[in-house]
Amino acid sequence: MNFRDWNEQQDLTQFLHHEARLLDEHRWDEWQKLFTPDGLYWVPLVHGQVDHLNHASLFCEDALLRSMRARRLEQARAYSQQPPTRTVHVLGNIALESRDDDATCTVRSTFLLLEWRKTEQRTFGGSVLHTLRRADDGWRIQTKRIDLVNCDAPHEALQVFL
Amino acid sequence: MNSVIPIIPIAATNPIDIQSLVQPDRVHKRVYTDPAIFELEMDRVFGQAWIYIGHESQVPKPGDYFTTRLGREPVVMVRHTDGQVHVMFNRCPHKGAKLVPDGSGSAGKFLRCLYHGWTFKCDGSLLSVPLRSGYECTALDLKDPQYGVRKVARVATHRGFVFASLSEDGPELKEFLGGVATSLDNFCDRAPEGEVEVAGGVQRVVQRNNWKIFFENLHDTIHAVATHESSWRAAKEEHESMPAGTPKPFEVVIVDGNGEPLEFWEKLELKGYDHGHGFMEGIFVPPTDPVSLAYVASLEAAKGAERTDEILRVNRHNTIVYPSCSPHTSFQQIRVIRPLSVDRTLVEIFSFRLKGAPEATFQRTLKYTNIVNAPSSNVMSDDLEAYNRVQEGLGSDGGDWVSMHRAAGRDQPLPGGRASNGNSEMPSRNMFAAWAGYMGVDTSTQTGSAE
Ligand code: FES
Ligand SMILES: [Fe+2]
């Protein structure tokens, strides 16, 4: 599905870039406010996973769990955050997946994420489906689904939002 | 018993005197850091003990297979056409190819090697080979059982949990499990139908530490309040930010429990059994929210109020089935510990469905798995950090010994084991007593530590 016009493409692209920047800059409060109150942040454990309730996930976080994670990352005694994880997102292939009505659409993008922890750099990559809803002052995330190319691999700790 | 103290020549220049590394209340750092000791463990600990392979529900139909590792050995659990579950080496007897790919699936009616097409029944016996005539009058006798897939020495099942041993000798499974068999029983008894099944996918976490450090942590109660401060504080703050009187959500309960003071843990009982096993009492008061109540009702409908009460009163946190797994009976999961090298360990977390319980009960199991055991766990990330710092610290020259003195000499005897208060380092001492036994140390002459 194509974007309606250049304005819509710009609007959604900038939203995704803004969201990624909030994560890379650890602006957790602002990031959480991008979600609808019942919004879901979801990283499936296996490819093609259809269900976050009846199958385990890498992340499956509602507002409560997102807030708990953000609070922990800010704790002085978050030992595994000594030093804090640093990330940078690179987004690409942003496309309109579907448009339900004027206020709801799903955007697909791909991403590469560089993560620096202690002494090592890790790379994550995959595709993201943002189901977005329009509010008075901009878009809200209904669901952010991240499909890592290596979702089913054994992982070391994943501490920050991808 | 008067056995010879084993001096094992690993390399001519580097003999390991195992006996000198293990004392009843402290161990030498080398047991966590020496690659040669790791190799010996694979032979002697993982080569002798009953090792958890998987659950029968992972191979529901004939021809279904599930691969894993038994120590260093790639093995496969397969259900035969007669319904029996076999565990064999994942190796073709012809030229050695792995017979089934890693993971799980169905092999159909027989196992067929990808390389030259030798086929085997699902019990491993040889069915046919191409160019059979080529073997006539050769030394290779296709009727000889050695040309079937090699089975592990022993396989046994307890309530659907499949264990295997690479050793012909040793105790039967039931005797091996001893007091922790009751944890596996309770695991299943909690299902209205009395049975459980693996479901919902497997989480895999890589740890940068020796496998024994993880096992010791399973019953190391006093680390929780210190190590997990960031997550239990975040959970408490989260609850405090809710309108006054809001009941604690399940997500908060399972995280902020780590913030209990040391006196709380002191009162819990720890049990240790022969062969290194043990369990600790449940740390969560059974919840009374609608999901829990619906589950209890389903159990009562199946078993009656009295039996239900009996079953739920067995409230356990981690159980240790040394040296391969840790069942969590009240949240229906098993963590399988697979040592990769002296300083790397893979932990696989399997979730189980209680047959006959409401779907919401299983969803809660997965929630616990996601929050506490997934690679993304806020709780576990600090554990992993602690294990890693231990591993790195032990590699230093800053000292040779690791202390396990806390509450030493204060254990209470139990049939087949011992009990201690919740803050005791008894579980570590208990595991090392078993470890020393497997490794061939004569512990009968040991009295205490000597500088
Ligand atoms: S290696 Fe299996 S048939 Fe040849
Ligand atoms: Fe812990």
Side-chain angles (χ1 to χ4, degrees):
Chain A
M1 176 173 256
N2 287 326
F3 290 106
R4 190 172 283 144
D5 53 28
W6 188 83
N7 280 332
E8 185 182 62
Q9 177 166 1
Q10 270 302 94
D11 184 28
L12 288 165
T13 300
Q14 280 181 10
F15 176 80
L16 297 195
H17 286 163
H18 175 64
E19 192 223 339
R21 180 170 178 173
L22 293 182
L23 291 174
D24 289 340
E25 294 179 358
H26 293 188
R27 290 153 68 182
W28 314 125
D29 288 347
E30 287 168 81
W31 180 72
Q32 291 180 77
K33 289 196 185 110
L34 294 183
F35 282 80
T36 62
D38 60 346
L40 176 71
Y41 168 76
W42 181 28
V43 186
L45 178 62
V46 293
H47 282 277
Q49 188 174 328
V50 289
D51 186 349
H52 64 272
L53 289 175
N54 295 289
H55 194 285
S57 298
L58 287 176
F59 290 79
C60 182
E61 305 198 339
D62 58 8
L64 166 61
L65 289 171
R66 289 194 298 274
S67 176
M68 271 168 64
R69 176 177 303 280
R71 282 183 200 272
R72 184 192 89 87
L73 291 168
E74 299 302 324
Q75 297 282 335
R77 289 182 177 159
Y79 299 108
S80 58
Q81 284 293 293
Q82 296 172 339
T85 302
R86 286 201 298 255
T87 62
V88 63
H89 286 75
V90 182
L91 305 188
N93 304 8
I94 298 171
L96 193 66
E97 188 80 358
S98 66
R99 187 192 287 109
D100 292 355
D101 52 54
D102 273 356
T104 314
C105 66
T106 301
V107 182
R108 186 179 192 280
S109 60
T110 53
F111 76 106
L112 273 179
L113 175 64
L114 293 182
E115 187 204 80
W116 173 257
R117 278 189 68 220
K118 275 182 157 184
T119 57
E120 271 169 48
Q121 186 158 292
R122 288 197 290 186
T123 314
F124 296 96
S127 62
V128 190
L129 278 180
H130 279 89
T131 302
L132 301 173
R133 208 163 271 161
R134 192 183 281 291
D136 292 342
D137 56 348
W139 293 101
R140 292 284 181 283
I141 302 170
Q142 177 66 47
T143 309
K144 181 182 184 184
R145 172 186 173 133
I146 304 171
D147 285 285
L148 290 177
V149 289
N150 64 340
C151 55
D152 45 7
H155 292 286
E156 295 190 35
L158 305 167
Q159 301 195 48
V160 294
F161 302 101
L162 299 179
Chain B
M1 199 175 86
N2 222 351
S3 63
V4 180
I5 295 170
I7 309 268
I8 301 101
I10 286 302
T13 51
N14 183 26
I16 303 174
D17 174 7
I18 298 279
Q19 175 114 38
S20 69
L21 304 177
V22 199
Q23 295 170 0
D25 49 15
R26 61 176 200 171
V27 296
H28 195 276
K29 66 179 182 188
R30 269 180 82 187
V31 306
Y32 302 101
T33 59
D34 188 334
I37 290 184
F38 178 83
E39 294 303 322
L40 271 184
E41 288 175 333
M42 294 302 104
D43 292 339
R44 297 186 175 180
V45 183
F46 286 81
Q48 292 187 71
W50 284 100
I51 301 297
Y52 180 65
I53 298 295
H55 189 264
E56 283 186 337
S57 62
Q58 291 169 268
V59 288
K61 291 192 289 294
D64 287 350
Y65 66 85
F66 166 73
T67 67
T68 183
R69 268 173 184 276
L70 198 177
R72 270 180 305 233
E73 304 298 331
V75 297
V76 57
M77 169 167 83
V78 192
R79 191 178 290 272
H80 189 36
T81 37
D82 66 1
Q84 233 199 303
V85 172
H86 295 269
V87 180
M88 41 203 166
F89 292 87
N90 189 7
R91 178 196 190 278
C92 176
H94 178 216
K95 293 184 88 136
K98 271 183 157 181
L99 201 49
V100 298
D102 287 344
S104 57
S106 171
K109 287 196 178 60
F110 48 80
L111 305 163
R112 183 172 191 276
C113 180
L114 88 165
Y115 201 8
H116 312 94
W118 285 31
T119 57
F120 308 87
K121 291 190 198 159
C122 292
D123 63 356
S125 55
L126 184 61
L127 194 61
S128 70
V129 299
L131 292 175
R132 197 178 182 106
S133 56
Y135 293 101
E136 278 165 19
C137 307
T138 72
L140 194 154
D141 174 5
L142 294 171
K143 291 201 191 64
D144 186 330
Q146 70 163 300
Y147 295 107
V149 187
R150 183 179 295 169
K151 296 217 189 92
V152 300
R154 291 186 296 161
V155 180
T157 301
H158 185 84
R159 300 284 298 261
F161 301 100
V162 180
F163 289 80
S165 170
L166 293 172
S167 166
E168 300 282 357
D169 316 308
E172 293 301 305
L173 177 62
K174 184 119 196 174
E175 187 195 335
F176 169 81
L177 292 172
V180 293
T182 57
S183 289
L184 295 178
D185 291 335
N186 188 248
F187 200 115
C188 302
D189 291 343
R190 284 172 170 253
E193 293 173 19
E195 278 181 18
V196 296
E197 60 186 356
V198 171
V202 50
Q203 305 266 18
R204 292 189 172 87
V205 179
V206 180
Q207 308 185 345
R208 297 186 182 212
N209 54 268
N210 185 268
W211 63 278
K212 299 188 289 299
I213 292 172
F214 177 74
F215 262 110
E216 287 175 51
N217 186 70
L218 285 167
H219 287 178
D220 183 330
T221 61
I222 78 157
H223 86 282
V225 69
T227 306
H228 298 304
E229 183 171 329
S230 68
S231 53
W232 64 251
R233 267 196 202 286
K236 278 193 205 304
E237 285 174 15
E238 200 54 48
H239 188 229
E240 281 156 16
S241 77
M242 294 172 183
T246 309
K248 252 191 214 177
F250 178 73
E251 292 87 338
V252 170
V253 171
I254 58 175
V255 175
D256 82 349
N258 282 316
E260 297 286 357
L262 297 180
E263 304 80 67
F264 168 88
W265 305 98
E266 172 99 30
K267 286 193 207 100
L268 295 176
E269 200 175 36
L270 287 168
K271 294 202 172 145
Y273 293 98
D274 294 350
H275 307 294
H277 314 315
F279 58 76
M280 67 185 278
E281 283 181 326
I283 56 178
F284 302 112
V285 180
T288 53
D289 59 295
V291 172
S292 309
L293 295 177
Y295 158 64
V296 173
S298 74
L299 196 56
E300 278 179 348
K303 311 210 175 193
E306 200 179 321
R307 178 76 183 121
T308 296
D309 184 57
E310 211 173 84
I311 291 166
L312 297 182
R313 234 179 307 133
V314 181
N315 182 14
R316 289 183 188 167
H317 197 52
N318 298 326
T319 291
I320 289 173
V321 182
Y322 194 77
S324 67
C325 74
S326 174
H328 196 296
T329 54
S330 42
F331 289 119
Q332 296 90 44
Q333 48 177 282
I334 290 188
R335 281 186 276 180
V336 182
I337 292 86
R338 290 172 42 181
L340 301 176
S341 65
V342 73
D343 58 1
R344 278 180 99 82
T345 302
L346 176 65
V347 177
E348 298 189 312
I349 302 100
F350 293 86
S351 303
F352 289 73
R353 180 185 275 121
L354 297 173
K355 287 193 186 175
E359 210 44 17
T361 306
F362 176 57
Q363 292 173 356
R364 174 165 287 187
T365 292
L366 293 176
K367 198 168 253 193
Y368 186 86
T369 304
N370 285 345
I371 296 173
V372 178
N373 292 136
S376 65
S377 168
N378 286 319
V379 180
M380 195 175 52
S381 51
D382 288 316
D383 282 320
L384 297 177
E385 180 69 18
Y387 307 156
N388 184 229
R389 289 196 203 179
V390 170
Q391 190 72 30
E392 289 185 348
L394 290 177
S396 83
D397 244 348
D400 287 339
W401 292 92
V402 176
S403 158
M404 294 171 185
H405 293 89
R406 201 165 61 246
R410 285 180 235 161
D411 302 341
Q412 300 301 313
L414 274 182
R418 41 193 165 164
S420 67
N421 78 58
N423 289 347
S424 169
E425 276 168 332
M426 177 277 284
S428 295
R429 296 189 296 271
N430 188 49
M431 283 187 271
F432 267 103
W435 185 88
Y438 287 122
M439 295 293 274
V441 175
D442 174 15
T443 45
S444 61
T445 55
Q446 293 196 346
T447 46
S449 59
E451 289 299 325

